[in-house]
Amino acid sequence: MSQATNQSWGGRFSEPTDAFVARFTASVNFDQRLAPQDIQGSIAHATMLARVGVLTDDERDAIINGLNEIQGEIERGEFNWSVPLEDVHMNIEARLTEKIGITGKKLHTGRSRNDQVATDIRLFMRDEIDVIEVELKRLREGMIELADREAETIMPGFTHLQTAQPVTFGHHILAWQEMLARDHERLLDCRKRVNVMPLGAAALAGTTYPIDRHVTAELLGFDRPTENSLDAVSDRDFAIEFTSFASILLMHLSRMSEELVLWTSAQFNFIDLPDRFCTGSSIMPQKKNPDVPELVRGKTGRVYGHLMSLLTLMKSQPLAYNKDNQEDKEPLFDAVDTVRDCLKAFADMVPAIEPKKASMYEAARRGFSTATDLADYLVRKGVAFRDAHEIVGQSVAYGLKSEKDLSEMSLDELKQFSDTIEQDVFEVLTLEGSVAARNHIGGTAPNQVRAAAQRARETLSALKAGA
Ligand code: ARG
């Protein structure tokens, strides 16, 4: 360390860093979270350096043992993180040198913090993506099973949040599941570009030591080393891709949350959420609030914010590494934590949704939701669709006045609007008949919902975690 600055890079400096600047530029308070990955990367780097003859086997072993001890100190909370040492990388290296002497200083041969930090974040993201994938799978499975159970349960389907046509509850839940299936593909696609190794790019131009990047990549489980050293130290696309995945996922969870909040209200009264996912009010004793979906809906905003932060962080950076990149960590960490927690909350909650079938059925029955079925009936009897639309419109107007749903009118009442209507109309005016008639792939008929659930199960189990 330099006399003047007490810093590992202080050789060319003649005065110490300003105390505020030291705090302002330090990242250790947040990047210490990367310690396990930093140590993992350093062990692989030292192993490779010994293999190509840059370190002796004894030096390698001393480094690896020292790093493993440091890992233990960190896990036990005994490690003294130092802000003057700036970041996680220098904290660990300084402690290693304290423990094993001069050999500790050899670890940094042939690398720079620039390729080191890029490697650490990628290792971290890979670990987190694998954890997130497990939760995403669990949630999808929960939805598929709920949909299968509720394949026959009838509810109103909405457009413009107005009752449109009856659908099955299972069909509605499988619509959610489709959103998550796309998110799942996006996550796995993002993982491919995360799992590439920057180590060896050094500061920006590579290194003069005879390193073998394939060895390090293999030791760390990366698919391959990065192609270009300038790009390797400066690329954060993978972080932006993850945060876009996270934003779209949270947008989906937020839409689902909105429906759960509506459905639990007394006005809809479609479902019950078990008490363990709700809280009460300190002033209104009757209240049971759907806090979990509300919070998930609320947390969507911060994840969108992180996506904007990262895009803006990168937009004007010239090649190669810039200190700006230190700002990538906090948004990324928070996006990861938020996604993990929201998925866990949903995966626990969705299988516990209790549909109030009678109430859903009644809502579907009340809203003239089989009006399109009546029009289709008339068309099958030879009436032009536009005329059928008009006839049904008049029947609905009559129903509104007389407070009767279409299925509650007598044949004579219906015949006022068209002679074509016969006794068999009542088969299509029932909710069961309406949903069963939409009997094609992607339709809401109960047997189609069961078949779709089965296909979803198969697609899901064909996806291999970490593939
Ligand atoms: N703490 C830095 C970061 O997060 C590590 C890399 C620092 N490199 C440098 N040349 N100052 O990006």
Side-chain angles (χ1 to χ4, degrees):
M1 286 200 190
S2 145
Q3 294 290 343
T5 70
N6 226 22
Q7 284 289 0
S8 59
W9 39 252
R12 60 104 74 208
F13 286 75
S14 54
E15 60 171 354
T17 317
D18 176 86
F20 170 74
V21 170
R23 255 189 298 124
F24 184 67
T25 54
S27 53
V28 68
N29 286 334
F30 51 87
D31 69 13
Q32 56 180 266
R33 186 164 171 181
L34 294 174
Q37 289 81 15
D38 198 68
I39 289 172
Q40 190 188 356
S42 290
I43 290 176
H45 182 64
T47 306
M48 181 278 291
L49 288 180
R51 219 176 281 179
V52 300
V54 172
L55 291 179
T56 66
D57 287 357
D58 287 348
E59 288 170 333
R60 175 200 59 203
D61 293 345
I63 287 173
I64 294 178
N65 291 338
L67 288 170
N68 283 328
E69 282 173 33
I70 291 171
Q71 174 73 35
E73 294 172 5
I74 294 171
E75 279 165 15
R76 291 189 300 275
E78 293 163 12
F79 193 91
N80 260 329
W81 296 104
S82 146
V83 173
L85 284 171
E86 276 186 52
D87 55 28
V88 61
H89 324 292
M90 306 236 269
N91 267 268
I92 292 175
E93 191 188 313
R95 177 72 183 130
L96 182 67
T97 304
E98 208 172 273
K99 288 172 89 75
I100 68 170
I102 181 115
T103 307
K105 296 188 181 179
K106 293 192 177 179
L107 169 61
H108 212 50
T109 313
R111 84 175 177 188
S112 142
R113 278 185 294 159
N114 299 349
D115 59 342
Q116 187 179 356
V117 72
T119 305
D120 291 2
I121 313 171
R122 285 170 182 268
L123 287 171
F124 171 82
M125 289 310 300
R126 191 180 68 192
D127 292 345
E128 294 296 332
I129 284 172
D130 293 345
V131 172
I132 285 168
E133 206 214 337
V134 170
E135 289 296 292
L136 186 52
K137 270 192 148 162
R138 189 161 73 87
L139 173 55
R140 287 183 65 191
E141 281 159 8
M143 284 184 181
I144 294 167
E145 294 323 308
L146 176 63
D148 203 28
R149 278 201 300 282
E150 306 299 337
E152 316 230 356
T153 307
I154 289 173
M155 68 181 286
F158 299 91
T159 60
H160 313 268
L161 202 58
Q162 312 292 316
T163 302
Q165 294 171 353
V167 294
T168 48
F169 186 52
H171 196 53
H172 194 111
I173 298 300
L174 282 186
W176 290 0
Q177 201 283 136
E178 282 301 305
M179 302 177 194
L180 297 183
R182 293 190 292 272
D183 291 324
H184 201 156
E185 284 179 20
R186 273 185 280 273
L187 181 67
L188 293 180
D189 193 53
C190 164
R191 192 187 191 280
K192 289 186 216 156
R193 281 175 295 281
V194 166
N195 203 29
V196 185
M197 188 196 68
L199 205 59
L204 76 163
T207 175
T208 56
Y209 295 95
I211 58 170
D212 188 337
R213 299 186 65 214
H214 290 286
V215 168
T216 338
E218 204 187 312
L219 288 171
L220 292 171
F222 283 112
D223 294 334
R224 59 183 172 85
T226 52
E227 280 293 328
N228 179 293
S229 64
L230 295 169
D231 180 54
V233 291
S234 60
D235 170 36
R236 295 294 182 273
D237 291 4
F238 63 92
I240 295 174
E241 283 187 43
F242 175 83
T243 324
S244 341
F245 147 81
S247 297
I248 299 175
L249 170 73
L250 262 291
M251 176 269 287
H252 289 149
L253 295 183
S254 177
R255 293 179 65 185
M256 298 167 199
S257 296
E258 174 71 10
E259 294 189 323
L260 291 173
V261 170
L262 286 172
W263 291 349
T264 51
S265 72
Q267 288 67 25
F268 270 81
N269 196 32
F270 281 7
I271 61 161
D272 218 4
L273 283 179
D275 287 358
R276 63 184 183 280
F277 298 109
C278 301
T279 62
S281 157
S282 54
I283 177 166
M284 297 167 284
Q286 85 283 14
K287 291 293 288 287
K288 172 172 155 184
N289 297 326
D291 293 47
V292 171
E294 287 176 279
L295 254 186
V296 171
R297 188 176 59 187
K299 284 179 186 290
T300 306
R302 64 201 285 162
V303 174
Y304 289 1
H306 298 324
L307 175 60
M308 286 318 296
S309 303
L310 290 174
L311 283 167
T312 312
L313 173 68
M314 296 310 296
K315 76 174 269 291
S316 302
Q317 284 197 46
L319 287 172
Y321 176 86
N322 300 285
K323 183 76 166 182
D324 312 43
N325 285 346
Q326 183 164 292
E327 286 289 307
D328 63 356
K329 287 166 205 67
E330 287 161 296
L332 202 49
F333 291 164
D334 189 71
V336 160
D337 292 341
T338 306
V339 164
R340 211 200 309 97
D341 289 353
C342 292
L343 279 175
K344 180 183 164 29
F346 255 74
D348 290 346
M349 185 174 62
V350 161
I353 293 174
E354 297 161 17
K356 296 179 162 175
K357 300 185 192 195
S359 172
M360 282 184 180
Y361 190 90
E362 185 52 25
R365 209 186 54 78
R366 263 187 285 110
F368 300 101
S369 66
T370 53
T372 319
D373 299 85
L374 178 56
D376 291 345
Y377 168 87
L378 290 164
V379 169
R380 278 198 301 276
K381 302 251 166 178
V383 180
F385 184 79
R386 279 290 151 227
D387 293 335
H389 191 287
E390 177 62 24
I391 292 166
V392 179
Q394 288 168 7
S395 321
V396 168
Y398 171 80
L400 283 170
K401 253 195 277 135
S402 56
E403 295 191 357
K404 283 182 186 166
D405 185 62
L406 295 173
S407 59
E408 292 165 339
M409 296 175 195
S410 67
L411 185 55
D412 283 345
E413 280 177 301
L414 287 167
K415 269 190 175 294
Q416 304 174 71
F417 309 107
S418 168
D419 268 349
T420 325
I421 301 178
E422 304 291 346
Q423 186 60 35
D424 62 352
V425 74
F426 293 104
E427 286 160 36
V428 309
L429 291 185
T430 64
L431 300 176
E432 289 78 4
S434 173
V435 294
R438 283 156 172 89
N439 187 16
H440 51 76
I441 186 163
T444 194
N447 61 310
Q448 291 293 343
V449 171
R450 283 195 204 94
Q454 185 50 29
R455 285 196 301 276
R457 257 182 222 116
E458 283 158 18
T459 317
L460 185 54
S461 61
L463 284 174
K464 259 191 45 237

